[in-house]
Amino acid sequence: MLRLERVRLQLGNFTLSHVSLKVGQGEYLVLVGPTGTGKTVLLETIAGLHHPCSGQIFLKGMDVTHMPAEKRHLGVVYQDYALFPHLTVFDNIAFGLKLKKKGTREISRTVSKMAQFLDIRTILKRRPRLLSGGERQRVALARALVLDPHMLLLDEPLSALDRLTRDRLRGELKRIHSELGVSILHITHDLSEAFFLADRLIVMKNGAIIQEGNPEAILKRPKDRFVAELLGIENFIPARLGAGGQLFLKGLGPGDPPVFSASPTETEKAICLIVPNWAIQLFPDKNNSDAYLAMFPMTITGLERAQGHMKIHLKHTGGERLRTTLSWREMNELPTNPALGQEIPVGLNRKGIHWVPAD
Amino acid sequence: MRPYLVGRPFKAVFFAASALLVILIAVPLLRMITSTDPGALVSTMAEREVMSSIFLTLRSAFWATIACLVLGIPLAYLLARTDFPGKSLVQGLVDLPVMIPHTAAGIALLMVFGRASFVGKTLGAMGLSFVGTEAGISLAMAYVSIPFLVNAARDGFLGVDPKLERVARTLGASPRQAFFRVSLPLAWRPILSGAIMMWARGISEFGAVIILAYHPMTAPILIWERFQAYGLKYAKPVAVLLILICLVIFALLRWLAEPRKEA
């Protein structure tokens, strides 16, 4: 559907460097990255609002690199919806249809159909200023979808909404995607949104794509510490791969060698263990020590209560600090109630751990 | 202290300052209007010379405003939306007519559009003369009052989120359609307000007009001439009449340009 080949763009001090990506027919692609990383610029470049210095953009096999925005048939929805304040909801949705010089009757029929699909029939006569965030979002989606675009480009479409509305609209986006089969490129910095919606995930940093794949694969094997941090992983243990493939955990004592199938070129180097919260197990089963990379005692230094879970801060005598998250059910299954200052045995579950070269 | 008293001294100071200023503007005008004999006002209204000079003033300023709307809106839009080399110089030039003495502006215009100049001669050969004509009056009015329009329109366009224009483009609008369907309708109030200010400033112009076109006589020149030739008694009714007519027109236009509350 959409293919970018080494697209480069210079916009003031910002550079989009040789971005290549593909969005398949009917695919839901989510692009994640921290604020200021060029996600919006990339989306606007695809939409035809900025023109690349080099590289090519193909849409349905056709080179659209130099095609003006109005000819590309791409629906764009912005974070703040960008509804036309001087027009009613009906006229906002009908804007593109009127430009296409459709007849009044056809416009009215198409708009009502879309309004029904997105459940906004009752607000068609209102002005955008008087709508709630969720309603505005639906109107913006309707305005883009009513033109039957080749693709939807969503720029942080849910981040200005309260949590409840956000959750509801997230489901709505999934429904739109599955019912209309439209290809979607969605950019966000919200990971739960990304994991909920994405068929495929792309991670961006400083104007460049650094990893892509399906969400589970990226979560399992983040390419580097930056991607892991972006995915919400909080524990990074500095370590060293020994010549014989042993693993030395700095600050936590030697681990059980060999932990990873390290090739000779990968020995004797500093690495970083990426440890998701769930891989840190309190009171590990000593009879099943093979499941663990290492076991050691740690002291509880903090307990953070949250909705549905408890976050536990741990400190090793060697200085290393780790964090883990336990659901209330897991909390109840612990042999003792964790208390501040308490020393408890901790195991690093092999399954969840992955290593990357140290920065 | 009861809650509603909080902030009362603050408001009182603001009310006092505002009242003082409004009085300062209104009293001289009221004094002039009330000290004029209604009979003299009526007989002045019957004078052809007076009425035609007032209408000439309104009309010339109106055409100056229309011409500057056509040329000024594109400039205002460029100033709001684009960066180009020399932009601050252009912005400074646009503001300049407010600062220079208007007699100087009149002389500058005369140098370019006068009968002795190349431009003046060429245009004169085409039948368009700016010295001692209504076109000259409009030109002088436009020159000194254009900053009001361009600056207001530029601020109006700055108030329109560029994202709205971008969305319009993705919905199939060409740059021209995005401008006429989104930017202009959203900026029309500040533009209208600027046009009203420009028209008003044009009507009141004296210095530049007198140098470029003493005749046909606009109202400000007629007032000055009567004051010079016959004294205050004869100048005053013309002045009062101009003030009253302008008051009605501008109150009406201001009311039109005000944002309405939506249901």
Side-chain angles (χ1 to χ4, degrees):
Chain A
M1 169 56 65
L2 174 78
R3 198 169 89 239
L4 267 70
E5 277 180 13
R6 297 183 63 75
V7 168
R8 201 180 151 274
L9 176 87
Q10 182 90 38
L11 207 67
N13 288 330
F14 178 79
T15 311
L16 210 59
S17 44
H18 304 296
V19 171
S20 298
L21 64 83
K22 263 185 199 172
V23 185
Q25 175 66 46
E27 189 179 29
Y28 204 123
L29 181 70
V30 177
L31 210 150
V32 288
T35 312
T37 200
K39 303 188 300 284
T40 302
V41 174
L42 176 61
L43 183 134
E44 289 185 337
T45 306
I46 294 170
L49 297 163
H50 306 298
H51 291 284
C53 321
S54 65
Q56 282 173 299
I57 302 173
F58 295 91
L59 194 62
K60 288 191 139 186
M62 196 165 71
D63 186 349
V64 296
T65 318
H66 301 291
M67 188 185 265
E70 61 268 28
K71 300 237 159 74
R72 295 195 187 189
H73 295 293
L74 295 170
V76 176
V77 175
Y78 281 108
Q79 179 178 2
D80 59 1
Y81 326 121
L83 298 178
F84 304 125
H86 59 306
L87 302 178
T88 61
V89 168
F90 181 95
D91 288 329
N92 261 280
I93 302 174
F95 188 88
L97 296 169
K98 283 183 183 165
L99 287 169
K100 284 188 169 173
K101 306 232 181 300
K102 303 267 183 207
T104 324
R105 208 171 288 168
E106 190 189 341
I107 290 177
S108 146
R109 201 177 47 236
T110 320
V111 171
S112 329
K113 214 170 121 193
M114 189 46 70
Q116 173 138 18
F117 179 67
L118 287 168
D119 197 19
I120 46 174
R121 272 171 307 165
T122 53
I123 56 167
L124 285 176
K125 286 188 182 147
R126 288 207 240 155
R127 297 262 176 168
R129 200 165 50 80
L130 303 166
L131 305 179
S132 70
E135 286 169 334
R136 283 177 203 196
Q137 186 55 270
R138 282 163 198 268
V139 175
L141 280 166
R143 184 176 62 178
L145 285 170
V146 82
L147 294 170
D148 196 15
H150 293 323
M151 217 183 135
L152 262 191
L153 306 173
L154 311 176
D155 181 11
E156 309 239 3
L158 306 177
S159 47
L161 301 168
D162 62 86
R163 201 174 57 84
L164 268 175
T165 317
R166 197 164 56 218
D167 289 351
R168 217 173 37 237
L169 268 164
R170 218 161 63 165
E172 191 79 343
L173 281 177
K174 207 156 199 170
R175 180 178 75 95
I176 289 169
H177 179 238
S178 68
E179 286 188 23
L180 302 181
V182 60
S183 313
I184 297 181
L185 174 64
H186 176 139
I187 65 181
T188 183
H189 61 257
D190 181 330
L191 279 165
S192 60
E193 196 174 302
F195 280 99
F196 182 82
L197 293 164
D199 293 332
R200 205 152 53 84
L201 210 60
I202 283 187
V203 183
M204 253 184 107
K205 181 188 179 183
N206 297 336
I209 289 175
I210 53 170
Q211 191 170 6
E212 61 176 296
N214 73 50
E216 291 77 15
I218 294 185
L219 193 59
K220 249 187 202 162
R221 292 266 178 275
K223 191 184 167 197
D224 57 19
R225 189 174 168 146
F226 170 81
V227 177
E229 274 176 356
L230 195 72
L231 296 177
I233 292 172
E234 296 175 294
N235 303 301
F236 301 92
I237 304 175
R240 186 172 60 82
L241 277 180
Q246 303 116 309
L247 177 80
F248 298 95
L249 299 178
K250 290 177 194 163
L252 291 169
D256 304 347
V259 178
F260 300 102
S261 49
S263 69
T265 54
E266 282 175 324
T267 57
E268 279 305 338
K269 71 189 227 181
I271 59 166
C272 174
L273 290 190
I274 294 176
V275 188
N277 286 6
W278 63 265
I280 295 172
Q281 211 160 327
L282 308 187
F283 301 101
D285 181 2
K286 285 195 174 118
N287 299 323
N288 188 19
S289 58
D290 282 354
Y292 301 101
L293 180 67
M295 283 194 253
F296 36 78
M298 289 187 94
T299 309
I300 297 177
T301 57
L303 292 165
E304 259 177 55
R305 206 192 312 271
Q307 200 186 12
H309 66 263
M310 173 84 90
K311 185 175 265 188
I312 300 175
H313 297 248
L314 302 156
K315 192 181 172 200
H316 189 264
T317 44
E320 191 62 41
R321 287 169 187 276
L322 299 176
R323 267 176 264 182
T324 186
T325 312
L326 266 61
S327 70
W328 292 117
R329 190 177 55 77
E330 288 168 322
M331 286 287 288
N332 285 331
E333 285 169 0
L334 291 178
T336 63
N337 244 349
L340 277 179
Q342 185 188 356
E343 194 179 78
I344 53 169
V346 173
L348 300 181
N349 196 318
R350 280 174 193 275
K351 271 188 187 162
I353 297 173
H354 163 62
W355 67 267
V356 293
D359 297 331
Chain B
M1 192 187 265
R2 276 175 294 170
Y4 73 86
L5 284 176
V6 176
R8 203 175 236 203
F10 174 78
K11 273 190 186 163
V13 169
F14 270 47
F15 268 118
S18 309
L20 198 66
L21 198 67
V22 171
I23 288 168
L24 195 69
I25 298 170
V27 164
L29 294 177
L30 279 174
R31 177 82 190 95
M32 185 155 78
I33 292 166
T34 52
S35 70
T36 307
D37 174 24
L41 209 57
V42 173
S43 63
T44 309
M45 274 171 80
E47 271 184 65
R48 252 189 92 160
E49 189 194 13
V50 173
M51 289 318 281
S52 77
S53 115
I54 287 179
F55 284 121
L56 169 72
T57 313
L58 295 177
R59 192 171 60 236
S60 320
F62 176 78
W63 288 121
T65 307
I66 295 296
C68 289
L69 270 173
V70 175
L71 302 175
I73 287 176
L75 174 61
Y77 186 75
L78 286 182
L79 287 173
R81 281 287 186 267
T82 55
D83 277 317
F84 52 87
K87 182 175 167 180
S88 28
L89 185 70
V90 172
Q91 184 62 63
L93 267 176
V94 168
D95 286 332
L96 205 61
V98 176
M99 292 170 238
I100 55 174
H102 289 180
T103 37
I107 291 168
L109 284 171
L110 197 64
M111 304 290 290
V112 177
F113 294 97
R115 287 185 188 114
S117 80
F118 172 74
V119 178
K121 268 185 209 156
T122 316
L123 289 172
M126 290 157 70
L128 187 60
S129 168
F130 287 98
V131 179
T133 62
E134 205 173 321
I137 297 171
S138 287
L139 178 69
M141 286 174 167
Y143 192 84
V144 297
S145 53
I146 188 72
F148 293 95
L149 175 64
V150 172
N151 287 337
R154 185 203 56 211
D155 291 346
F157 287 124
L158 280 174
V160 178
D161 186 351
K163 221 180 264 172
L164 295 174
E165 293 166 12
R166 283 185 231 153
V167 161
R169 297 286 310 280
T170 68
L171 293 168
S174 64
R176 182 180 57 83
Q177 285 170 318
F179 177 78
F180 282 107
R181 287 176 188 242
V182 177
S183 322
L184 195 59
L186 283 171
W188 78 269
R189 268 184 220 285
I191 293 175
L192 178 61
S193 182
I196 294 170
M197 281 306 293
M198 179 177 170
W199 190 30
R201 186 63 199 79
I203 290 169
S204 65
E205 182 50 27
F206 175 79
V209 174
I210 201 169
I211 287 180
L212 211 59
Y214 193 98
H215 288 286
M217 219 176 264
T218 61
I221 296 174
L222 184 71
I223 293 166
W224 181 74
E225 200 205 44
R226 289 201 171 187
F227 180 71
Q228 289 283 77
Y230 312 108
L232 189 61
K233 199 178 161 206
Y234 289 90
K236 210 164 60 178
V238 186
V240 170
L241 208 56
L242 185 66
I243 289 168
L244 288 177
I245 290 172
C246 289
L247 198 66
V248 172
I249 294 174
F250 289 116
L252 202 71
L253 284 174
R254 277 270 171 235
W255 176 76
L256 263 179
E258 241 171 52
R260 301 276 181 285
K261 283 210 175 89
E262 288 162 34

